[in-house]
Amino acid sequence: MRPALALPVLAALLLAQPAAAQVAAPDSGDTGWMIACALLLLLAALPGLMLRHAGLANVRHGLAAMAQTLVAGATILLGWGLAGYSLAYAPGSEWLGGGSNLLLANLAPLRDGLTVPESAFVLFQMGFAVLAGAIAVGAIAGRARLGWVAAFAPLWLLLVFAPITHWMWGGGWLAQLGAMDFAGGLVVHVLAGFSALALALVAGRPRDAQGGGHAHILAIAGGALFWVGYAGAAGGWALGATDDAATAILNLFFAACAASLGWALVGRLLGAHASATGLLSGAIAGLAAISASAALVGTGGAMLIGLAAAIIARIGAGFASAWIDDPAHIFAVHGLGGATGALLLPLFVLPLLGGVGFDAGITATASLLAQAIGLVVIALWALVGTAIAALIVSILVPLRATPQAEADGPDAIEHGQQGWDFR
C-alpha cells in the first residue's frame, strides 16, 4: 500500500525536467489510460455540466446557461495552452510556476518520474481546469452576459486556478507543508465551490421572480454524466493503469452512492421530498468529498466520507439558499462537500479504519492541521481571487444584462433562440 504522505513528494517529482534527464520509456498502456481519463473529465465538464446547469436554470435561461458553460470551458482550455499549464507545473517558486512551458513549449518526451509523455499529462490536467471553471460559472448560469463570462474565465484560470494547482500539485508550499489532495477535493471542488460563492455574491439575485429548475430530466442526465465522467479524475491521478486506479474508482462510486442515499434521507428527515435532482446532488457531494482520498482509504471509509459529506452539504444547501441564488447548490455540494472530505482524510487514512497509513513520524494531528491550513488558504484565495477577477472584468464588460433583457430572457436576447419550440 502506498503511504498517504508520499503524495507531496510525488507532487514535487511532477515538476517538469529537461528532456535529457529522462531515462525511462513511455508505457503505451499508461499513456492510453491517461488520455482516456482526460476525455472522461472533459465529458463530465462539457456535456455533463452543460445539461445540469441548463436543467436547473429558468426556462428562458436554459440555452444561455449551456452557452456560458461552453464558453467558460473553451476560454479556459485556450488559456491552459497559452499560460495556465506553465504557471501551474513549470519549474518556478513555491508560489507559482515559471514560463518555460508557455504555449506548451519544451514539453518532455516523458514526464519526469512517470511512464507517460508530458503531452498526455498536460491533457489530463487540462480536464481539471475546464471542469473547475465550468462548475464555478454554474452559480450565475443565465444571469451573466456571455461576453463577461468569456473575459472572466481565462483571468480566473490565471489568477485563481493555476496558483492553487501549483501550491498543491505542482510541488508548491502547501504540498511541502503536508496538505494532501489525491484527485481534486481541494484543487477542484473547494476551489470551484468557493469561487461559485463569490460569483453568486457579486452577481446578486435574479431581478425576476420566476424560479429555476425548468427541466429536471436534463439536470439528472447531466449529473449522471458528471458522476461517471469524474471517474477519470480518480483513476487518472493514479498516473497509470494500476491497482490504485481501480481502488480509487471503486471508492469514488462507494462514496457517491452512500452520499446520494444520505442526501435523500436528510431531506425526508427535514420534511422535504426525496427529490430526483437531490439524489444526484448528493452523489456529486460524495464525489467531491472522496476526491481528496480516493486511493488512500478503505471501502468503509469511503462510504462514511460520502455519507458525512451528504449530511453537511444538504443542511448547508438549505442555509445557503436563504442568502444566495445558487440553483445547482454549487457552493454546498462542491465547496462544503470537498471541505468535509479534505478534513476527514487524516482520520480515514489510518490503518485501523482501512486506510494506507502515514509515513513514519507523521501523526494524524499534524496531517489534520496541514489539511485545515490548506482548506482555509484555498477557500480564501478562491473567494478573494474570484471576486477580484469578477470586478476587474466588470469594469470593461457589465456582468448583468439590463432589467428588460433579463425579463425577456438571455436565450432570446443574446442568442436569438429558445430552448424549447412547441410549434
Side-chain angles (χ1 to χ4, degrees), residues 120-361:
F121 183 76
V122 172
L123 176 64
F124 177 62
Q125 295 300 323
M126 184 180 72
F128 284 104
V130 172
L131 187 74
I135 291 171
V137 299
I140 53 171
R143 276 179 287 161
R145 295 173 185 261
L146 189 65
W148 186 91
V149 173
F152 165 80
L155 180 60
W156 174 88
L157 170 75
L158 301 179
L159 186 62
V160 179
F161 183 84
I164 289 176
T165 300
H166 184 74
W167 299 346
M168 283 296 304
W169 287 344
W173 70 278
L174 285 179
Q176 295 176 25
L177 184 68
M180 294 179 287
D181 185 5
F182 180 80
L186 290 169
V187 175
V188 174
H189 295 284
V190 169
L191 186 159
F194 280 84
S195 293
L197 174 60
L199 288 176
L201 291 172
V202 170
R205 289 185 173 274
R207 294 188 176 103
D208 58 54
Q210 294 192 27
H214 82 284
H216 292 145
I217 289 178
L218 293 183
I220 293 170
L225 274 174
F226 183 91
W227 180 349
V228 175
Y230 199 75
W237 253 121
L239 302 173
T242 64
D243 175 64
D244 281 340
T247 298
I249 293 174
L250 283 171
N251 283 339
L252 192 82
F253 277 86
F254 291 143
C257 290
S260 178
L261 299 177
W263 183 288
L265 177 61
V266 172
R268 293 304 301 269
L269 292 176
L270 293 176
H273 293 288
S275 67
T277 52
L279 290 170
L280 263 298
S281 294
I284 294 172
L287 299 179
I290 198 60
S291 294
S293 59
L296 309 176
V297 300
T299 299
M303 294 178 183
L304 290 174
I305 287 172
L307 181 61
I311 294 171
I312 291 173
R314 176 62 181 84
I315 295 172
F319 283 110
S321 62
W323 46 281
I324 61 171
D325 185 77
D326 182 8
H329 301 307
I330 291 170
F331 167 65
V333 168
H334 296 275
L336 298 183
T340 302
L343 293 178
L344 288 177
L345 183 154
L347 174 64
F348 288 100
V349 160
L350 294 172
L352 180 65
L353 299 177
V356 300
F358 295 105
D359 283 341

Side-chain angles (χ1 to χ4, degrees), residues 46-47 49-72 137-138 140-147 149 213-215 218 408-421:
L46 295 179
L49 288 175
M50 286 170 67
L51 287 169
R52 180 166 172 78
H53 293 163
L56 293 174
N58 185 289
V59 67
R60 292 174 287 111
H61 299 177
L63 281 180
M66 296 188 87
Q68 287 169 12
T69 306
L70 176 60
V71 164
V137 299
I140 53 171
R143 276 179 287 161
R145 295 173 185 261
L146 189 65
V149 173
H214 82 284
L218 293 183
D408 294 337
D411 288 5
I413 297 300
E414 284 205 300
H415 304 290
Q417 298 172 311
Q418 56 188 13
W420 309 98
D421 189 345

Side-chain angles (χ1 to χ4, degrees), residues 67-132:
Q68 287 169 12
T69 306
L70 176 60
V71 164
T75 53
I76 287 172
L77 189 151
L78 294 174
W80 186 250
L82 291 171
Y85 175 75
S86 191
L87 295 177
Y89 285 104
S93 70
E94 294 181 356
W95 298 92
L96 196 64
S100 60
N101 296 130
L102 293 175
L103 287 171
L104 300 186
N106 305 311
L107 295 184
L110 190 69
R111 178 76 182 184
D112 189 57
L114 304 183
T115 57
V116 300
E118 190 169 7
S119 58
F121 183 76
V122 172
L123 176 64
F124 177 62
Q125 295 300 323
M126 184 180 72
F128 284 104
V130 172
L131 187 74

